[in-house]
Amino acid sequence: MTNAPTSSYLPWMTEGHEYFMSALKRIGDEQLEGPSALPGWTGRHLLSHVGHNARALGRLAHWAATGEPTAMYRNPSARAEEIEAGGVWPAPRLRDFVEDEQVRLSVALDRLTGVQWQAEVVTAQGRTVPATTIPWLRSRELWIHACDLPSGGDFAEFPDAFTDALITDALTRRRTGQSVAVGVRATDRETDAFPRGDVIVEGPSADLARWLTGRGTSPHLRTTTGAPLPQLPPWL
């Protein structure tokens, strides 16, 4: 989870959806037939995932609202099955699907009370978190996957505060179970937001976020010792 104020998460989710849809509108249906930036996924698979992710997070919102345990996915294979099923839908249906599921999730979150926002739910990775985490999880999906679309978005266009939160969140996840802790330093602006580590990688904040979330490296990234960049395990 990030250290950003909880009040930031819902605006980031809304802005992230707008950013994703703006990137999507620049892409023709025929481009969605081709590959996305994610190995093995076409653009249609990516849209299927983004729409089904909103639906899955809506299940967590239902859990928070009712107290009825409702997993994001019914079993370990359900996520992949949903993505594959939606990946064969026509592109216009997928565009509507992403929009409609985002609206449903937003409505469900708007209905949560103060007490319900603090209810504990369990993510697809098995982490127990308060419901306040749900809009952060959705924000992360929307902003990052906008950059996975064919001719899609760019990490350099993310809001600075969101980029900081994303880097911090990614660093926290990257350190889990690792013998060497990776830290970063942004070279494009002054910030002390990021954890230090045994190995420090420095470079522009957008490039750091892109690398930490498994979207490739950049010639602008380097370790402070001159050693090669650490090898990172797959993102999520």
Side-chain angles (χ1 to χ4, degrees):
M1 191 54 190
T2 75
N3 293 321
T6 303
S7 59
S8 299
Y9 304 153
L10 282 169
W12 283 341
M13 184 184 75
T14 300
E15 293 164 11
H17 176 69
E18 292 170 353
Y19 185 72
F20 183 90
M21 296 307 293
S22 176
L24 180 58
K25 288 176 182 176
R26 298 195 297 268
I27 300 169
D29 289 351
E30 67 285 353
Q31 288 178 276
L32 295 173
E33 303 289 337
S36 72
L38 296 176
W41 278 10
T42 66
R44 290 198 297 180
H45 285 96
L46 181 58
L47 295 191
S48 176
H49 166 61
V50 172
H52 280 106
N53 171 262
R55 181 176 288 182
L57 291 173
R59 295 177 188 126
L60 296 189
H62 174 80
W63 186 344
T66 65
E68 174 187 355
T70 312
M72 287 183 68
Y73 302 102
R74 67 182 182 277
N75 58 51
S77 63
R79 175 181 177 274
E81 291 169 357
E82 289 180 349
I83 293 168
E84 286 298 322
V88 301
W89 294 348
R93 178 182 176 184
L94 284 164
R95 292 175 188 270
D96 290 343
F97 178 60
V98 171
E99 186 72 54
D100 293 346
E101 291 299 326
Q102 177 67 28
V103 170
R104 290 189 180 94
L105 176 59
S106 296
V107 170
L109 294 176
D110 285 344
R111 290 174 176 168
L112 295 182
T113 66
V115 172
Q116 290 167 343
W117 274 115
Q118 299 305 316
E120 290 188 338
V121 297
V122 180
T123 71
Q125 289 76 38
R127 294 188 304 122
T128 300
V129 298
T132 50
T133 308
I134 297 172
W136 166 253
L137 298 177
R138 183 59 178 168
S139 300
R140 194 175 62 190
E141 293 286 322
L142 289 163
W143 287 99
I144 294 175
H145 284 315
C147 301
D148 295 327
L149 287 167
S151 304
D154 189 329
F155 278 73
E157 297 175 339
F158 294 3
D160 286 350
F162 175 79
T163 299
D164 288 355
L166 180 60
I167 290 172
T168 301
D169 189 44
L171 282 173
T172 300
R173 295 179 186 285
R174 292 299 190 187
R175 290 178 173 203
T176 302
Q178 298 298 309
S179 58
V180 177
V182 175
V184 300
R185 186 180 73 83
T187 57
D188 55 331
R189 53 193 172 83
E190 292 293 330
T191 177
D192 294 322
F194 310 135
R196 296 298 179 184
D198 304 315
V199 177
I200 304 296
V201 177
E202 57 184 13
S205 52
D207 289 349
L208 291 170
R210 187 182 298 109
W211 173 64
L212 286 168
T213 56
R215 267 64 187 178
T217 186
S218 158
H220 303 295
L221 296 181
R222 59 189 178 276
T223 62
T224 54
T225 63
L229 296 180
Q231 293 295 314
L232 300 177
W235 173 243
L236 296 181

